[in-house]
Amino acid sequence: GAGTMMPGETPPPPAGTAAAGGVCANCGVLQQNINEYVAALIALKQKMIDGDRLLTEYQQKCTDILWFSICISALRCQVEKMLQKILPLEKCQEELGSLKAELEEKKVCL
């Protein structure tokens, strides 16, 4: 009949189930370790995401600072150019002043 078992298909003895029970306890520990490991990985991934976000913000700030420094440099250049234009004008005014003084003296002489 179909229900009869072959000699090789005997169910394992009770001793085997005890051993299996021991393995299952280890499986439980292993499962707990895996859960902790996964939790640690998830936490690490979150830290990486947070780190990336902070890095992006930091890079943005650096870009802003760089932009500001470029603007400041440009302003410095403009100020220096203006000073270069103003200095000759000041000299001209001094020269005019001395010419006026000379003219005044000559007027007095005349």
Side-chain angles (χ1 to χ4, degrees):
T4 57
M5 280 185 156
M6 300 300 287
E9 293 181 56
T10 51
T17 48
V23 170
C24 277
N26 286 346
C27 279
V29 171
L30 188 64
Q31 188 62 49
Q32 195 182 341
N33 287 348
I34 288 170
N35 289 346
E36 285 171 14
Y37 181 66
V38 168
L41 273 179
I42 290 167
L44 186 64
K45 191 178 179 188
Q46 190 55 51
K47 275 184 184 161
M48 283 169 73
I49 290 166
D50 290 346
D52 278 351
R53 192 172 45 77
L54 284 172
L55 192 64
T56 305
E57 284 174 15
Y58 175 74
Q59 282 171 339
Q60 185 57 51
K61 283 193 177 118
C62 286
T63 306
D64 290 348
I65 288 167
L66 193 64
W67 171 245
F68 288 142
S69 63
I70 288 167
C71 287
I72 288 165
S73 296
L75 283 172
R76 267 202 198 122
C77 279
Q78 285 182 345
V79 167
E80 280 174 17
K81 279 178 186 168
M82 283 172 75
L83 283 174
Q84 282 169 5
K85 283 179 185 172
I86 288 167
L87 283 173
L89 287 175
E90 282 180 350
K91 275 188 182 168
C92 283
Q93 276 187 327
E94 279 176 28
E95 284 172 17
L96 280 174
S98 55
L99 277 175
K100 263 189 190 170
E102 277 179 37
L103 283 172
E104 293 295 324
E105 280 174 23
K106 282 181 183 165
K107 264 189 199 169
V108 169
C109 290
L110 290 170

